[in-house]
Amino acid sequence: MFTGATRGRTPHTMSRMGDVLAGIHTAWEIAPDSVLIRFTRGNRGTPKLFQVLGERRVPLEALQSVTVSPGERGTVVLHAVPRPGADPLMDAAAGQLKESADPYRLVLPAERATVAEHCADELRAVLPGPGAGPAARWLVSSVGAPLQFKAYDGKVSFDGEKVSFRWSWTGASSAKWKAGDQSYTVSELAGVEWRSPEALEGHLRLLFRGGAPGGAGERPARADQDPAAVVFGLGYGPVHESLPFAAAVLEAVREAAPAVPAAAAPPRDPAGVAERMRHLGELHGAGLVTDEEFRNKKAELLAEL
């Protein structure tokens, strides 16, 4: 077990490999140049995302900061923040993960706060820090390919070279059926946009060089009309399936063309925003969206204008 500096003992240094901090659902094994994060499998309450990840080797150069803060129910949280561009999983998540599903949080009993603080201090001493800026390459690996999952309107798969969409008879829009099943190579892509299935309008959308497949025309504003996107729903595209998928695609895109920055999401035109506003009003009127969700989403849509 990881031990901190105490009276009568030699202060701990990062040169001692194999030191372990075991927490709830997660354990960190500290090495001179990295942290091996192991996730518990099969235990009740362990986030499914952790079970999919299994373990991850995180080089210290991939981390931007480390903090210690009080947790809930007599716990303390040791939290690391990766540098932008270092971890495709966290870049794809874009801040949308719940705290309980953040793979960089280590939850420990409160009596281990001193050890956590000591560990954080020693890590801070060797991290590149915020001034290092974004990483020029991926430093943490995704779960890799092949991957697939079922969305509300179709099935999507990734074999490491291409992303394929196969539409569902019951869920896909007429626009997607008209376009037919689709397949796109990594070389066509500039990135991927993931919106959590735990939020309104969750979806996975491919981003292309030039803004649209083949660089021709404008893309539909709504993911349910876009043949290069799938939409999520209750039980469709869960986080532990769709987020690792998005990360694997993002990792492959950057590795295929490391000198080309990922394209931003396509801009929303006023007509598209107005249509989404109308659709949101219908959901609210039907009681499918709460008053609070309606106000928050309406504010987001207005901000896009």
Side-chain angles (χ1 to χ4, degrees), residues 20-54:
V20 176
L21 272 172
I24 301 173
H25 307 314
T26 310
W28 287 13
E29 182 176 334
I30 311 297
D33 62 349
S34 65
V35 177
L36 177 61
I37 303 178
R38 291 194 173 98
F39 303 101
T40 304
R41 296 188 181 189
N43 285 6
R44 183 178 179 182
T46 300
K48 290 184 178 180
L49 177 61
F50 290 3
Q51 297 182 43
V52 170
L53 295 177

Side-chain angles (χ1 to χ4, degrees), residues 98-172:
K98 294 180 178 179
E99 282 191 347
S100 60
D102 185 339
Y104 286 88
R105 293 177 82 248
L106 177 64
V107 182
L108 300 161
E111 57 266 25
R112 307 218 66 201
T114 300
V115 175
E117 289 281 5
H118 184 74
C119 178
D121 286 342
E122 292 201 334
L123 285 171
R124 292 187 196 107
V126 295
L127 297 186
R137 59 186 177 86
W138 299 124
L139 299 170
V140 185
S141 296
S142 72
V143 298
L147 292 169
Q148 62 181 358
F149 68 89
K150 186 176 182 180
Y152 175 74
D153 55 356
K155 293 181 179 179
V156 58
S157 61
F158 178 52
D159 63 5
E161 297 181 356
K162 65 180 182 298
V163 182
S164 301
F165 297 91
R166 184 176 180 181
W167 307 122
S168 163
W169 282 100
T170 55

Side-chain angles (χ1 to χ4, degrees), residues 227-250:
V230 288
V231 297
F232 305 142
L234 187 61
Y236 294 96
V239 171
H240 69 280
E241 294 180 358
S242 60
L243 179 57
F245 185 102
V249 175
L250 195 62

Side-chain angles (χ1 to χ4, degrees), residues 152-271:
Y152 175 74
D153 55 356
K155 293 181 179 179
V156 58
S157 61
F158 178 52
D159 63 5
E161 297 181 356
K162 65 180 182 298
V163 182
S164 301
F165 297 91
R166 184 176 180 181
W167 307 122
S168 163
W169 282 100
T170 55
S173 65
S174 58
K176 291 186 176 181
W177 274 111
K178 183 177 179 180
D181 294 344
Q182 300 291 310
S183 183
Y184 305 97
T185 63
V186 167
S187 61
E188 298 177 73
L189 305 180
V192 61
E193 177 185 79
W194 181 79
R195 293 293 177 264
S196 174
E198 297 174 342
L200 193 63
E201 296 187 350
H203 64 263
L204 182 143
R205 186 196 299 259
L206 301 181
L207 305 179
F208 294 87
R209 307 187 193 284
E218 291 188 4
R219 297 177 64 183
R222 287 169 45 180
D224 65 340
Q225 302 296 312
D226 188 346
V230 288
V231 297
F232 305 142
L234 187 61
Y236 294 96
V239 171
H240 69 280
E241 294 180 358
S242 60
L243 179 57
F245 185 102
V249 175
L250 195 62
E251 182 178 45
V253 168
R254 186 168 173 184
E255 289 179 346
V260 179
R268 310 284 190 177
D269 65 333

